[in-house]
Amino acid sequence: MTAVLPPSPATPALPAPRRLTRTEDGERLHALLWTAGPGRRAISSAVLGGGIGERAWILNAQVAHGYRRTDPERHLASLAAEAGLSGPGVGLMTAADVSAYAHACDAGAEAFVTAGVDVRGWAARPGEGAEGVPEPGTINVVVAVPAVLTDAALVNAVATATEAKVQALVDSGLDCSGTPTDAVCVVSDAPSPHREAHAFAGPRSLWGARLARAVHRAVRDAVGGGGGWPVRGET
């Protein structure tokens, strides 16, 4: 008997971002803004709005190379306020040009990636880690699924997205697992009494597999690798 998979949603799990432009310290910088709307929650490693909780918006802001501010959370909050945002949200930053983002979709799972890989390496290496605010080189991954995920599944989704990112970097010929400042944000629907909550988001689960393929393709495109396998619904 052939398993019947749920159809792909007619509307995207996360709409295309709006590009914002500002001048800061004499430089023209961009930011990407997603408005997730009510009934969405996220898990993120972002400096602003990190952790797990309901989130109404996501801001991925470009900052200047050589960024030296020691209050990135306050900086991102001010950028969000200037954009007219209110309520809880997620704020990420990068020195990469965010207007050159990559996007991939797989059966409803959406992945958006901005990538700067000048400062890269492997996660496990000799030596102590540094304290303080690190250089924002950064691969930022924003991914969304049109499904309800439990807390454990959200954590699982972060691991799956990270595995897919590393696979894409290696497939692109880059000898690294990422940059020291990579960040991730996974958005899902908020729990509802009338909807099933998925307990797993590993790479062989329904939504984990879709998420992994979307992230893999988007990271490859963002770092210039291209190629990979065809992705259903890819844009």
Side-chain angles (χ1 to χ4, degrees):
M1 181 176 178
T2 303
V4 178
L5 299 180
S8 302
T11 57
L14 199 62
R18 181 160 58 99
R19 190 177 75 169
L20 309 177
T21 303
R22 73 188 191 281
T23 299
E24 192 173 276
D25 296 329
E27 292 192 46
R28 188 173 176 83
L29 303 171
H30 303 293
L32 299 178
L33 172 62
W34 293 266
T35 49
R40 311 302 298 280
R41 67 179 192 143
I43 181 171
S44 179
S45 62
V47 65
L48 176 67
I52 299 178
E54 292 193 9
R55 302 289 186 266
W57 50 266
I58 304 159
L59 184 70
N60 186 10
Q62 179 188 3
V63 297
H65 288 276
Y67 185 79
R68 287 293 180 269
R69 287 187 60 160
T70 58
D71 60 345
E73 183 176 4
R74 180 178 296 180
H75 187 189
L76 285 164
S78 69
L79 293 179
E82 290 170 8
L85 301 173
S86 60
V90 173
L92 309 103
M93 60 172 47
T94 176
D97 180 4
V98 299
S99 61
Y101 72 89
H103 169 239
C105 178
D106 188 286
E110 307 270 349
F112 300 86
V113 175
T114 59
V117 291
D118 289 342
V119 182
R120 61 181 184 268
W122 291 99
R125 69 175 192 180
E128 296 295 329
E131 295 183 357
V133 179
E135 296 265 353
T138 311
I139 300 169
N140 283 340
V141 175
V142 175
V143 60
V145 296
V148 178
L149 300 181
T150 64
D151 284 359
L154 282 171
V155 176
N156 208 178
V158 169
T160 299
T162 302
E163 289 180 27
K165 177 197 74 175
V166 176
Q167 181 183 349
L169 292 172
V170 173
D171 287 348
S172 299
L174 295 174
D175 187 21
C176 66
S177 58
T179 84
T181 53
D182 288 356
V184 61
C185 177
V186 177
V187 180
S188 72
D189 293 343
S192 167
H194 308 293
R195 294 185 64 187
E196 174 193 4
H198 293 259
F200 304 100
R204 296 286 70 84
S205 68
L206 175 65
W207 285 109
R210 294 171 175 179
L211 177 156
R213 289 189 294 265
V215 170
H216 180 271
R217 183 54 186 263
V219 171
R220 288 204 69 176
D221 287 348
V223 301
W229 52 79
V231 179
R232 287 183 294 164
E234 183 182 319
T235 58

